Amino acid sequence: MSNKIVPKDELVNFVGTKVEPTAWYEVTQERINEFAHCTGDDYFIHVDVEKAKKTDLGGTIAHGLLTLSFLPYLMNNFPAPEGMTHGLNYGFDKVRFLGIVHSGKRVRIHGEVMDVTWKDEHNCKFTTAVTVEIEGEEKPALYAEWILYYETED
């Protein structure tokens, strides 16, 4: 899947547009363990299956930051300006961890274009609202307002 490429002057027309959700993605124990290894966050609730089963959570759970790190998976569903040379992660205005993702659960990501602001003819601030849904659960895993910068050529 790849971005929908649109003329630069039409990108602003996508404000308010909801993008198609991603496919479901299984959050495996292996993925959780890899994240724990990369970040040094090896708290037992993430990596010790037997000990985690004895808690009120009933098993291991994904790190909230691991769930947040799935967001780039969504970006191919958003429009991008024609002639884009690159995009950069600028940050978040809001991140809320709302639900727990247990190992073995599947998640998918929904998004909406919130704002498009051209700083000049080559640099655009692109703001999105994203939600990570947990299959079969009413409460989402997280909600975030994510800001990216796009740079375009002439």
Side-chain angles (χ1 to χ4, degrees):
M1 194 179 317
S2 62
N3 292 87
K4 177 180 181 172
I5 305 301
V6 300
K8 288 175 15 176
D9 60 345
E10 292 180 19
L11 191 62
V12 71
N13 297 336
F14 286 87
V15 172
T17 300
K18 294 183 181 191
V19 298
E20 181 179 331
T22 63
W24 289 105
Y25 178 86
E26 184 178 354
V27 182
T28 64
Q29 187 62 50
E30 180 181 6
R31 177 70 62 193
I32 294 169
N33 292 347
E34 289 173 352
F35 189 83
H37 176 75
C38 289
T39 62
D41 183 355
D42 61 355
Y43 187 57
F44 83 93
I45 202 67
H46 304 301
V47 298
D48 188 330
V49 174
E50 292 308 312
K51 191 173 179 181
K53 281 181 186 176
K54 296 174 184 172
T55 69
D56 60 342
L57 295 172
T60 55
I61 61 172
H63 306 72
L65 293 175
L66 170 58
T67 306
L68 184 67
S69 72
F70 293 145
L71 296 185
Y73 181 56
L74 173 68
M75 287 317 297
N76 285 335
N77 291 5
F78 279 105
E82 189 173 55
M84 183 174 78
T85 57
H86 63 271
L88 296 173
N89 183 359
Y90 183 69
F92 297 88
D93 274 345
K94 182 177 193 176
V95 176
R96 296 294 181 267
F97 299 102
L98 304 169
I100 295 171
V101 179
H102 286 88
S103 175
K105 281 294 212 169
R106 296 191 328 159
V107 297
R108 69 177 175 181
I109 307 166
H110 301 264
E112 179 178 345
V113 179
M114 291 180 64
D115 188 47
V116 175
T117 304
W118 286 92
K119 300 298 183 182
D120 58 39
E121 69 177 288
H122 300 292
N123 296 284
C124 173
K125 182 175 148 187
F126 189 80
T127 306
T128 64
V130 291
T131 302
V132 177
E133 172 188 7
I134 306 167
E135 187 175 36
E137 297 188 23
E138 194 170 314
K139 188 187 293 188
L142 75 83
Y143 170 83
E145 294 174 5
W146 188 18
I147 306 165
L148 299 117
Y149 270 107
Y150 291 153
E151 183 175 301
T152 63
E153 57 194 10
D154 292 333

